[in-house]
Amino acid sequence: MAGGVLAAILCFGASGPAVAQDEAGFQAYLRTLRGQAEARGVSRATLDAVMPGLTLNTRVIELDRAQPGAANNPSAVPNFAPYKAQHVDTARITRGRQAYLAQRGRLARIERETGVPESIMVAIWGHETNYGKVMGGFDLPRALATLAYEGRRRELFADEFISALLMVDRGVPLSQLKGSWAGATGGPQFLPSIYLRLARDGDGDGRIDIWTSEADTLASIGNYFANAGWRPGQPWGLAVSVPPGFDRNQIVNRTVSPRCPRVFARHSGWKTVAEWRAMGLVPETRNWPADNVLATLMEPDGPGKTAYLLTGNYRVILDYNCSNFYALSVGLLADAVER
């Protein structure tokens, strides 16, 4: 215990002046941020309710700086199997099926309106917040103002901070603006700008409450996917076996994506399902989609392991979170939930 107290004293002794200076700089920056918010039309009442109480959150800065970056070895890509075992596990599937059955009436209506499968909405909800159980406890305006002040992505987070204030102007209680350290909030873990643009009232009560209303959460997820271009009637993808001796040189992807290039670099070039069938690929868990559906091949655990053919709808999942492991897990969880 003495060691812990000593460490704390040394820590405060060493960094106290720097922290004080950072706080002074943060308070000065808030004046600039307030001016930007006023220019965007945020009400004086909201500004007066939020701005005076804001202080720098150094924990948010620590978490942001701990994120993987360019210093990591870009060639060191782990296998998907361990991630899948952790994120598409029995407990998550069981809770997902329970949520799926409990929400069928709402989900069916949202699917009719958006074309987005019920199971995909449930899988996103499960991955983002464990079906509404873990939504984060950071004060959103404080976290976003801190990230804007830090400056690494100032324009992005200044915009999200102002969007959070506009949410208050729209009637969202300030007490409800809690979420992740990076500013995501509610059951779908929307950034404030996404909430303003795509969140929806799913239960018809005139409010858009993605924190306590399951109907609003699912309707908002469905609307996001419809807006991102989900194609009704197409699967996200399917697990396939690749035949021994398969010539991968014939499927090399020669284009570089302007968005998330490392994610898309793991995909092959596009071919129709008919072409993939002719190359000897065999589906493992579901029937082939229509022959004219375009798909790319990914082998996340390397040759000889389960591979996946991925349609344009997989890229819609990537629009939500640009990570192959995330998108694969969402698709596989959705498949398991609706079985």
Side-chain angles (χ1 to χ4, degrees):
M1 188 171 192
V5 172
L6 177 61
I9 292 171
L10 289 173
C11 177
F12 282 112
S15 62
V19 169
Q21 182 61 46
D22 283 347
E23 184 63 42
F26 178 71
Q27 293 300 323
Y29 172 67
L30 287 182
R31 292 193 287 273
T32 300
L33 205 49
R34 179 171 182 135
Q36 293 173 349
E38 287 176 336
R40 284 272 300 276
V42 176
S43 71
R44 178 164 293 183
T46 292
L47 289 167
D48 289 344
V50 175
M51 303 297 293
L54 292 178
T55 57
L56 186 69
N57 190 330
T58 55
R59 177 60 179 153
V60 165
I61 294 175
E62 290 170 3
L63 289 167
D64 185 49
R65 291 178 179 173
Q67 292 302 291
N72 290 344
N73 181 359
S75 65
V77 180
N79 285 337
F80 173 56
Y83 184 97
K84 176 187 173 186
Q86 183 178 356
H87 291 83
V88 193
D89 59 318
T90 300
R92 200 180 301 251
I93 292 169
T94 299
R95 288 194 296 271
R97 285 176 177 161
Q98 291 168 349
Y100 180 67
L101 293 172
Q103 301 292 331
R104 284 308 299 279
R106 288 173 178 152
L107 287 165
R109 175 178 54 78
I110 298 166
E111 181 171 348
R112 286 195 301 272
E113 293 170 355
T114 64
V116 179
E118 303 171 37
S119 57
I120 288 287
M121 290 181 270
V122 169
I124 289 288
W125 188 27
H127 271 284
E128 291 295 328
T129 58
N130 197 10
Y131 311 103
K133 290 184 174 11
V134 184
M135 292 193 278
F138 283 86
D139 178 89
L140 245 61
R142 185 185 180 207
L144 290 166
T146 293
L147 289 166
Y149 169 67
E150 181 195 19
R152 194 157 67 91
R153 290 165 290 176
R154 175 161 290 176
E155 187 176 346
L156 166 67
F157 286 114
D159 180 71
E160 293 301 338
F161 173 79
I162 294 168
S163 294
L165 299 188
L166 290 170
M167 289 171 66
V168 177
D169 272 353
R170 283 196 186 181
V172 176
L174 190 55
S175 61
Q176 224 158 19
L177 286 183
K178 300 283 190 278
S180 76
W181 64 266
T185 188
Q189 289 290 278
F190 279 176
L191 287 169
S193 62
I194 300 298
Y195 173 92
L196 293 174
R197 189 163 63 92
L198 296 173
R200 290 294 179 266
D201 175 11
D203 53 21
D205 67 354
R207 299 170 58 245
I208 302 176
D209 177 6
I210 60 172
W211 300 272
T212 64
S213 169
E214 295 171 343
D216 291 6
T217 290
L218 294 167
S220 298
I221 292 170
N223 190 53
Y224 184 103
F225 272 68
N227 182 267
W230 187 273
R231 298 175 184 177
Q234 268 190 31
W236 61 271
L238 66 157
V240 294
S241 298
V242 179
F246 184 77
D247 181 11
R248 288 166 179 81
N249 291 322
Q250 65 186 319
I251 62 167
V252 172
N253 179 10
R254 303 191 186 278
T255 62
V256 177
S257 171
R259 180 174 179 268
C260 306
R262 284 181 56 190
V263 169
F264 289 106
R266 303 194 71 191
H267 302 186
S268 75
W270 292 92
K271 293 188 178 295
T272 65
V273 164
E275 289 174 310
W276 289 117
R277 291 176 66 178
M279 291 180 185
L281 275 65
V282 177
E284 290 189 353
T285 56
R286 67 191 311 162
N287 295 329
W288 287 110
D291 278 354
N292 63 347
V293 171
L294 287 167
T296 62
L297 180 70
M298 184 169 67
E299 298 175 280
D301 294 316
K305 307 291 185 181
T306 296
Y308 297 89
L309 282 180
L310 310 168
T311 73
N313 282 342
Y314 178 85
R315 297 200 166 199
V316 175
I317 304 175
L318 288 175
D319 189 81
Y320 207 95
N321 184 333
C322 204
S323 157
N324 279 313
F325 285 8
Y326 176 92
L328 282 173
S329 294
V330 166
L332 292 169
L333 179 61
D335 289 351
V337 160
E338 69 181 3
R339 280 194 196 112

